[in-house]
Amino acid sequence: MNPSPEKFFYSGTRKEITEHAAALIIAEAYRAVADHGRFSLVLAGGNSPRPLYRHLAQGVSIELLQHYELKVPDCDLKSNGKILSLPENTWLFQGDERCVPSDHPDSNFRMVHETLLLQSGIPENHFFRMPTDKANTEKGAREYEATIRNFFLASASIDEQEFPLFDLIVLGLGDDGHTASLFAGNTEALQEKTKWVVAVSAPEAKPPGKRLTLTLPAINHARNVMFFTTGAPKAELAKKIFLEETGPLPAALVSPVNGKLFWFSDHQ
Ligand code: 6PG
């Protein structure tokens, strides 16, 4: 485990955590673009992030950024009424995906497309979809890793341990403490030290089946990692994980090497 990262826990109503998380992501996007010309954002699947992605697509007001004391470089925060959307140079990736067709109700791509892509104006070619239509899921994992590698090699944004430096990764939390498609029962995937993307079988997942997922090293080298989780049972688990009061659940193994860790959890 990495030494404890700089970490923050925010709880509130679903509306409050959604607004706050969206504002933080957009502020970080402008900081990343000002710093290195682009913003790389990894999106969680499942259902919890739906309101967050819809809010990102709408953009956030200057007042909201000011309310959460979030600075945005080169932006006149006094221009009240102004709405800030994700900057043009935003690039989207998936943290994990179920191996189903992209129009399947269980497809994370379909959920992201409906809630964010269609409304946000982000060009389709700025979204790198996990290739889950391959009969050989390992081939899909290797292909997606190559996609990420090409993206980061173009700007030498790979740290000395050869891992991608995503600007921000959004993760969800399962009732059993899984995150992305890293499940406690899959020690091989959890112990992966070099690959960035792996194919897993998740018979106990909801929905069960084959999946592609980022690995812990790929997640833990991000500049920022954000758990966004809703619902009472998870609120308690989220707090326990944050306080390091659980065993080595997959979500508890998320500990950014050099980045910051944010938890957003609504209380019931
Ligand atoms: C997936 C997710 C997964 C999800 C959690 C929580 O593809 O299933 O990435 O890790 O975030 O299972 O799912 P809900 O947000 O639907 O509760």
PDB file of all heavy atoms in Angstrom, residues 31-48:
ATOM      1  N   ARG A  31      -7.587  23.448 -14.781  1.00  0.00           N
ATOM      2  CA  ARG A  31      -6.214  23.470 -14.276  1.00  0.00           C
ATOM      3  C   ARG A  31      -5.315  22.598 -15.147  1.00  0.00           C
ATOM      4  O   ARG A  31      -4.218  22.990 -15.539  1.00  0.00           O
ATOM      5  CB  ARG A  31      -6.170  22.940 -12.829  1.00  0.00           C
ATOM      6  CG  ARG A  31      -4.854  23.180 -12.091  1.00  0.00           C
ATOM      7  CD  ARG A  31      -4.636  22.181 -10.987  1.00  0.00           C
ATOM      8  NE  ARG A  31      -4.598  20.818 -11.530  1.00  0.00           N
ATOM      9  CZ  ARG A  31      -3.552  20.320 -12.227  1.00  0.00           C
ATOM     10  NH1 ARG A  31      -2.492  21.086 -12.495  1.00  0.00           N
ATOM     11  NH2 ARG A  31      -3.579  19.079 -12.676  1.00  0.00           N
ATOM     12  N   ALA A  32      -5.827  21.400 -15.526  1.00  0.00           N
ATOM     13  CA  ALA A  32      -5.025  20.468 -16.343  1.00  0.00           C
ATOM     14  C   ALA A  32      -4.734  21.076 -17.721  1.00  0.00           C
ATOM     15  O   ALA A  32      -3.601  21.028 -18.213  1.00  0.00           O
ATOM     16  CB  ALA A  32      -5.772  19.147 -16.496  1.00  0.00           C
ATOM     17  N   VAL A  33      -5.745  21.680 -18.313  1.00  0.00           N
ATOM     18  CA  VAL A  33      -5.539  22.277 -19.655  1.00  0.00           C
ATOM     19  C   VAL A  33      -4.528  23.413 -19.562  1.00  0.00           C
ATOM     20  O   VAL A  33      -3.628  23.530 -20.404  1.00  0.00           O
ATOM     21  CB  VAL A  33      -6.890  22.745 -20.248  1.00  0.00           C
ATOM     22  CG1 VAL A  33      -6.669  23.593 -21.494  1.00  0.00           C
ATOM     23  CG2 VAL A  33      -7.776  21.533 -20.575  1.00  0.00           C
ATOM     24  N   ALA A  34      -4.628  24.218 -18.504  1.00  0.00           N
ATOM     25  CA  ALA A  34      -3.661  25.325 -18.332  1.00  0.00           C
ATOM     26  C   ALA A  34      -2.260  24.763 -18.089  1.00  0.00           C
ATOM     27  O   ALA A  34      -1.258  25.299 -18.562  1.00  0.00           O
ATOM     28  CB  ALA A  34      -4.084  26.213 -17.162  1.00  0.00           C
ATOM     29  N   ASP A  35      -2.183  23.641 -17.404  1.00  0.00           N
ATOM     30  CA  ASP A  35      -0.880  23.055 -17.036  1.00  0.00           C
ATOM     31  C   ASP A  35      -0.266  22.267 -18.196  1.00  0.00           C
ATOM     32  O   ASP A  35       0.918  22.408 -18.499  1.00  0.00           O
ATOM     33  CB  ASP A  35      -1.069  22.122 -15.830  1.00  0.00           C
ATOM     34  CG  ASP A  35       0.234  21.447 -15.421  1.00  0.00           C
ATOM     35  OD1 ASP A  35       1.172  22.175 -15.017  1.00  0.00           O
ATOM     36  OD2 ASP A  35       0.319  20.197 -15.553  1.00  0.00           O
ATOM     37  N   HIS A  36      -1.018  21.403 -18.849  1.00  0.00           N
ATOM     38  CA  HIS A  36      -0.403  20.567 -19.885  1.00  0.00           C
ATOM     39  C   HIS A  36      -1.282  20.407 -21.133  1.00  0.00           C
ATOM     40  O   HIS A  36      -1.129  19.461 -21.896  1.00  0.00           O
ATOM     41  CB  HIS A  36      -0.004  19.192 -19.343  1.00  0.00           C
ATOM     42  CG  HIS A  36      -1.045  18.494 -18.524  1.00  0.00           C
ATOM     43  ND1 HIS A  36      -1.166  18.679 -17.152  1.00  0.00           N
ATOM     44  CD2 HIS A  36      -2.030  17.636 -18.859  1.00  0.00           C
ATOM     45  CE1 HIS A  36      -2.162  17.933 -16.701  1.00  0.00           C
ATOM     46  NE2 HIS A  36      -2.698  17.301 -17.705  1.00  0.00           N
ATOM     47  N   GLY A  37      -2.213  21.297 -21.305  1.00  0.00           N
ATOM     48  CA  GLY A  37      -2.888  21.392 -22.602  1.00  0.00           C
ATOM     49  C   GLY A  37      -4.072  20.482 -22.818  1.00  0.00           C
ATOM     50  O   GLY A  37      -4.735  20.556 -23.858  1.00  0.00           O
ATOM     51  N   ARG A  38      -4.352  19.586 -21.853  1.00  0.00           N
ATOM     52  CA  ARG A  38      -5.518  18.717 -22.050  1.00  0.00           C
ATOM     53  C   ARG A  38      -5.927  18.118 -20.710  1.00  0.00           C
ATOM     54  O   ARG A  38      -5.155  18.138 -19.738  1.00  0.00           O
ATOM     55  CB  ARG A  38      -5.201  17.618 -23.050  1.00  0.00           C
ATOM     56  CG  ARG A  38      -4.039  16.751 -22.645  1.00  0.00           C
ATOM     57  CD  ARG A  38      -3.580  15.885 -23.771  1.00  0.00           C
ATOM     58  NE  ARG A  38      -2.692  14.833 -23.270  1.00  0.00           N
ATOM     59  CZ  ARG A  38      -2.256  13.839 -24.026  1.00  0.00           C
ATOM     60  NH1 ARG A  38      -2.617  13.768 -25.287  1.00  0.00           N
ATOM     61  NH2 ARG A  38      -1.464  12.922 -23.526  1.00  0.00           N
ATOM     62  N   PHE A  39      -7.135  17.554 -20.697  1.00  0.00           N
ATOM     63  CA  PHE A  39      -7.685  16.970 -19.464  1.00  0.00           C
ATOM     64  C   PHE A  39      -8.112  15.543 -19.773  1.00  0.00           C
ATOM     65  O   PHE A  39      -8.958  15.327 -20.653  1.00  0.00           O
ATOM     66  CB  PHE A  39      -8.886  17.807 -18.998  1.00  0.00           C
ATOM     67  CG  PHE A  39      -9.608  17.245 -17.800  1.00  0.00           C
ATOM     68  CD1 PHE A  39      -8.927  16.948 -16.617  1.00  0.00           C
ATOM     69  CD2 PHE A  39     -10.984  17.007 -17.848  1.00  0.00           C
ATOM     70  CE1 PHE A  39      -9.600  16.449 -15.506  1.00  0.00           C
ATOM     71  CE2 PHE A  39     -11.668  16.518 -16.745  1.00  0.00           C
ATOM     72  CZ  PHE A  39     -10.964  16.236 -15.573  1.00  0.00           C
ATOM     73  N   SER A  40      -7.488  14.575 -19.088  1.00  0.00           N
ATOM     74  CA  SER A  40      -7.846  13.167 -19.322  1.00  0.00           C
ATOM     75  C   SER A  40      -8.696  12.687 -18.141  1.00  0.00           C
ATOM     76  O   SER A  40      -8.269  12.715 -16.989  1.00  0.00           O
ATOM     77  CB  SER A  40      -6.579  12.310 -19.454  1.00  0.00           C
ATOM     78  OG  SER A  40      -5.702  12.537 -18.364  1.00  0.00           O
ATOM     79  N   LEU A  41      -9.899  12.283 -18.440  1.00  0.00           N
ATOM     80  CA  LEU A  41     -10.900  11.931 -17.414  1.00  0.00           C
ATOM     81  C   LEU A  41     -11.367  10.495 -17.647  1.00  0.00           C
ATOM     82  O   LEU A  41     -11.815  10.143 -18.739  1.00  0.00           O
ATOM     83  CB  LEU A  41     -12.106  12.892 -17.525  1.00  0.00           C
ATOM     84  CG  LEU A  41     -13.326  12.626 -16.639  1.00  0.00           C
ATOM     85  CD1 LEU A  41     -12.958  12.707 -15.161  1.00  0.00           C
ATOM     86  CD2 LEU A  41     -14.445  13.630 -16.969  1.00  0.00           C
ATOM     87  N   VAL A  42     -11.260   9.676 -16.613  1.00  0.00           N
ATOM     88  CA  VAL A  42     -11.724   8.282 -16.682  1.00  0.00           C
ATOM     89  C   VAL A  42     -13.075   8.202 -15.971  1.00  0.00           C
ATOM     90  O   VAL A  42     -13.228   8.717 -14.864  1.00  0.00           O
ATOM     91  CB  VAL A  42     -10.724   7.326 -15.999  1.00  0.00           C
ATOM     92  CG1 VAL A  42     -11.244   5.883 -16.031  1.00  0.00           C
ATOM     93  CG2 VAL A  42      -9.350   7.405 -16.669  1.00  0.00           C
ATOM     94  N   LEU A  43     -14.034   7.563 -16.638  1.00  0.00           N
ATOM     95  CA  LEU A  43     -15.408   7.553 -16.128  1.00  0.00           C
ATOM     96  C   LEU A  43     -15.776   6.196 -15.553  1.00  0.00           C
ATOM     97  O   LEU A  43     -15.513   5.146 -16.167  1.00  0.00           O
ATOM     98  CB  LEU A  43     -16.378   7.924 -17.252  1.00  0.00           C
ATOM     99  CG  LEU A  43     -16.175   9.341 -17.822  1.00  0.00           C
ATOM    100  CD1 LEU A  43     -17.021   9.524 -19.078  1.00  0.00           C
ATOM    101  CD2 LEU A  43     -16.527  10.397 -16.785  1.00  0.00           C
ATOM    102  N   ALA A  44     -16.422   6.207 -14.406  1.00  0.00           N
ATOM    103  CA  ALA A  44     -16.920   4.974 -13.797  1.00  0.00           C
ATOM    104  C   ALA A  44     -18.186   4.533 -14.523  1.00  0.00           C
ATOM    105  O   ALA A  44     -18.842   5.325 -15.208  1.00  0.00           O
ATOM    106  CB  ALA A  44     -17.233   5.203 -12.319  1.00  0.00           C
ATOM    107  N   GLY A  45     -18.530   3.276 -14.320  1.00  0.00           N
ATOM    108  CA  GLY A  45     -19.775   2.756 -14.871  1.00  0.00           C
ATOM    109  C   GLY A  45     -20.823   2.670 -13.779  1.00  0.00           C
ATOM    110  O   GLY A  45     -20.771   3.412 -12.791  1.00  0.00           O
ATOM    111  N   GLY A  46     -21.770   1.771 -13.969  1.00  0.00           N
ATOM    112  CA  GLY A  46     -22.840   1.614 -12.984  1.00  0.00           C
ATOM    113  C   GLY A  46     -23.870   2.730 -13.126  1.00  0.00           C
ATOM    114  O   GLY A  46     -23.918   3.436 -14.131  1.00  0.00           O
ATOM    115  N   ASN A  47     -24.687   2.887 -12.083  1.00  0.00           N
ATOM    116  CA  ASN A  47     -25.765   3.888 -12.136  1.00  0.00           C
ATOM    117  C   ASN A  47     -25.512   5.142 -11.295  1.00  0.00           C
ATOM    118  O   ASN A  47     -26.014   6.220 -11.628  1.00  0.00           O
ATOM    119  CB  ASN A  47     -27.080   3.228 -11.689  1.00  0.00           C
ATOM    120  CG  ASN A  47     -27.547   2.213 -12.722  1.00  0.00           C
ATOM    121  OD1 ASN A  47     -27.717   2.582 -13.897  1.00  0.00           O
ATOM    122  ND2 ASN A  47     -27.691   0.961 -12.322  1.00  0.00           N
ATOM    123  N   SER A  48     -24.762   5.006 -10.219  1.00  0.00           N
ATOM    124  CA  SER A  48     -24.583   6.169  -9.328  1.00  0.00           C
ATOM    125  C   SER A  48     -24.088   7.427 -10.043  1.00  0.00           C
ATOM    126  O   SER A  48     -24.535   8.529  -9.727  1.00  0.00           O
ATOM    127  CB  SER A  48     -23.618   5.815  -8.186  1.00  0.00           C
ATOM    128  OG  SER A  48     -24.095   4.704  -7.478  1.00  0.00           O
TER     129      SER A  48
END
